[in-house]
Amino acid sequence: MERDESRRDSQRVTLHPPEDFAGMRRAGRVAAELLDHIGQFVRPGVTTGELDRVCAEWTAERGAVSAPLNYRGFPKSICTSVNHVVCHGIPGDKVLQDGDILNIDVTPIVDGWHGDSSRMYFVGRIGVKARKLCEVTYESMMRGIAAVRPGATLGDVGHAIQEFVEAHRFSVVREFCGHGVGRVFHEPPNVMHYGKPGEGMVLREGMFLTVEPMVNAGRWETKILADGWTAVTKDRSLSAQFEHSIGVTANGCEIFTLSPAGLDHPPFAA
């Protein structure tokens, strides 16, 4: 996730030729398989540091590189954000407890391409509100992605997410957003998860983006902890996030980070 830097020059947005899609498919597949793999280790009693170790070893075994490690000083290979942590949680001694919800954010680099994706995981038996928050967050991401096509605007994408989230009386985080991705980890454009239809940059075929709404059960405001990375909800309400990397195609978009095992989200209630 990048902070909102809306003044970035829109002319720097990369338009990728068809052959670049193959690179992102490979990177996205590795990211999805990594998130599939780590799910079996998410349980009460495990530390977030242990989850980081498992992910780092799995990534290295496949000849990939963990992009977050040492990125602007970030000390770990993945981000682990528990309960009221919105994003950029640093793995460490935190022990997962029954009822926690956890976001794991990974970005393996494969042949120079960044596969950026995150999912929510349930630790043991979780509460009704936490489950609903995760369900709404996932659906809001998919509605935002469904709005992506040449000629649509980033405002269309943000509006689709915001409208759905707020209809369920949750709130969309403003301070962090999606971004362009590809051979560069974070690049223009900024992809806001709120907005108005018809406003913002017009999407064009060949753009690679992340759509990654962060949704709070309470108010949308966040703050950064003393470590300089961990973002939490100001009101300590629960927060959830899902993320896919996508490419804009001639008539819609392609999701690069879909789970090959169909594990893109937890087992939501019917």
Side-chain angles (χ1 to χ4, degrees), residues 161-232:
I161 293 168
Q162 181 182 13
E163 182 179 49
F164 183 76
V165 167
E166 292 181 353
H168 289 83
R169 299 188 177 182
F170 297 136
S171 60
V172 178
V173 169
R174 266 55 165 183
E175 293 97 336
F176 300 92
C177 59
H179 52 87
V181 69
R183 289 196 175 275
V184 178
F185 194 177
H186 299 101
E187 63 178 2
N190 287 341
V191 181
M192 310 309 296
H193 303 115
Y194 62 96
K196 296 180 179 179
E199 294 188 353
M201 179 181 293
V202 176
L203 299 175
R204 299 171 61 188
E205 183 178 359
M207 289 181 174
F208 292 167
L209 313 167
T210 69
V211 178
E212 47 179 305
M214 288 141 275
V215 176
N216 297 345
R219 293 180 58 85
W220 60 263
E221 292 90 350
T222 67
K223 64 180 181 181
I224 307 295
L225 299 186
D227 61 25
W229 282 101
T230 306
V232 300

